Each structure stands twice: as C-alpha cells, then as structure tokens.
Amino acid sequence: MVSFQLEQVRKGLEIALGEVPAIISLAIELAPHIDNVQMVSCGTGDSFMERHLLKFFHKEARSSFQVSGFKSADYAICPPRRTDNRTLLMVSSVSGATDDTLLAINAVADRVRCIVAFTGRAECPIAEKAHKKFNTAGAVDPYSASCLQMLVFFGKLMEIKEGWGGMQNLLTSLPSFPSAYVAASHESSDLTTNFADQFKEHDKMLIVSTGNVEELGFVIADCNMVEKLKIFCEFVEASRFFHGPLELVKSGVPVILILGEDEYRPLMGPVQKFCSEQQANAVVYDTINMALPGILYDTRPLLSPLILRAALKGLVSALAAAKGSNLDHRHFYGKVKYTVEQHGTFMLGPYLQVPSN
C-alpha cells in the first residue's frame, strides 16, 4: 500500500494553495461582469464540477446567476446557445492536454468573457488557450489540489453573486487540509488492508455514494478500479440503488459504501440497512467519526470528499498489491486517440440536417 508522506503532500498542496490570493482576486475581478458560468471537463474534472460544485450551487443559489456543467465532448459538438460576453468558461484537466476539452474551448473562444483553466501541469495546450490559468504541478495528488483551487474560485464567486457565507471558514480550514488528508489515509490503513484481502479475488464491484461524495465514488470507480485495476466496477448513486443494482448483492459482488457529511447523507441509510440485512459483501468509508483537526464544522461537507479520497486511493494501492497489478499499466488510455473531430462519422453516415425556417 502506498504510504502518503506528510511533507510531500504538504509541499505540493502548499504550492497549489499558494495561488489562492490570485484565484480570489480573479473571482473578484470577474464577478461583476458575468451572470453565467459554464464548467467543462471530462473524467475526474467533470465529476468534481458536476457532482460537487453544481450541488453546492443548487443548494445556495437564490438569484438569476446561472451555473451549468458539461462533458467536454458534448460541449465541443453542441455548445449552449446562451454563451456570450457575460459567460465565464471554466475548464479543468489534470493532463492539460485533453483533446475534447481543447475542442470545447475552440468552439466558444470568441464568444465568452473569460476562459479560466485549472490544470495539473504548468506548460500545456489548455493553459495556453485560456485567458487565466492555475496549475498544481508538483502536487502528489494534482487532482485533489486542483479541486481545492476550483472550490476556492467557485466559493468566492458564490460569496459575491449569491451571498454565500462560508468563504472565510473555507479559507481558515484550507491550511489544515494536508494533515487531514494524510490522517485519513493512516486512520483507515488497517481496515483497508483487510478490505483488499477480502476483495482481491473479485473482478466485479459496486461503489455507492450520494451528495458531495458522488464525485469520489465516480472517480474511484472509473479512474481507479476500472482504468488502473481492470475491475468491472459500476458507480451507483444511492437514489438509484433500489432501481436495479441491488439485485447484484446476492451474487456476492463487493459493495463499497462511501458516506459524506452533507444533506444527502440520509439517502445512504436505506442502502446500508439493505446491505446489512442481506449480509452483503460490503464495506463502509466514512469521515463522520474522524477528528479532522483544523477543518471547521461548516466546511467538512465540502472538504471531506477530497480528504476521504486519500483512504480510497489507499484501497486501490492495497488491491493492486494483493492482485499483483501494476497501477501504471494501461492497455489503451493515453496511447490512442479517438475524437469526434476525427472519427465522428465512422460507420454512421451523415447526421440529419434539419432545415431552418
């Protein structure tokens, strides 16, 4: 199992969080000139934007301020008509070179007020196309560091545009994030080793979560269990569990239950009760009983999904060791390119053209 070194984590996060003043200044500068934020990414970035930031927005929104999230490929091929000089395009990419995200930027570059990019690399094609960019180069976990930057930027916009009152508590809690991240990994270490031994013979898995931790469930399922461990893993929102996925429990498929600390938490109660009664092959990851020193109570719902990521990443590493898998091996990912621009008409023929009247 990977050992998270506190100083390595701290150094990378401190570099990323060192950009917080500039991020806040940009939000203050842009806020009066925008009333529409379009968040565009794919994979991990898309998950954080759509399953975390959008939930945050819908909980707090009271005015005519608009925020929406899109997958890069969808946005590139059919960008929203309501995109103009009052629109902020917010993009993210750990690699900084995602083809579909580059196409998405190109689709509206001449129509938006500003393009702000959050990337894992300082020098990259997406950063070059953006008007403003922030990076997390050097971070041990660039995804989490980038998500923190996006949370600060979006939080400041929400404070200005929607009167959100949690910005100061968020800024107060951020310096404690590195320690909480590492503590979560260490605190769950023994359980994680047992879980890995329990699951090592399985090639199928369910991950169930809800609310702010939907983002974590999706990322661990798609980008870790499937991509890195080649385990067929389905991510299921708690509200969808009883509409089909529950039938898999009798097969003995491992079920990982991830609990957040937000208003959606009660949706996991019925799932946990069902799994307990059916003696499912289930395990629970939860931060509710973790001390998380320095993380203020009001900010735990926003930060605990990223903190809990350390524990789940530990499980991925432990499973890799138990299975003898190489986490760096990919059959296809990053080695082949299939884009709508190049292959959109493959065996499909021309798409239907509807004449305008």
Side-chain angles (χ1 to χ4, degrees), residues 326-343:
N326 179 2
L327 286 175
D328 294 323
H329 175 262
R330 309 286 193 281
H331 291 297
F332 305 111
Y333 188 82
K335 301 176 182 178
V336 297
K337 288 190 176 182
Y338 288 86
T339 66
V340 171
E341 183 181 47
Q342 294 174 304
H343 309 290

Side-chain angles (χ1 to χ4, degrees), residues 52-107:
H52 195 122
L53 295 183
L54 266 184
K55 286 184 179 295
F56 171 24
F57 168 74
H58 288 307
K59 176 192 171 187
E60 299 291 339
R62 295 184 296 274
S63 72
S64 58
F65 184 49
Q66 297 292 316
V67 178
S68 47
F70 304 88
K71 293 174 177 58
S72 298
D74 294 351
Y75 191 90
I77 200 169
C78 188
R81 185 165 301 198
R82 189 177 180 272
T83 302
D84 54 30
N85 193 45
R86 300 283 300 177
T87 300
L88 165 68
L89 179 63
M90 183 175 163
V91 302
S92 76
S93 170
V94 173
S95 72
T98 310
D99 288 328
D100 287 335
T101 304
L102 288 166
L103 291 173
I105 292 173
N106 290 340

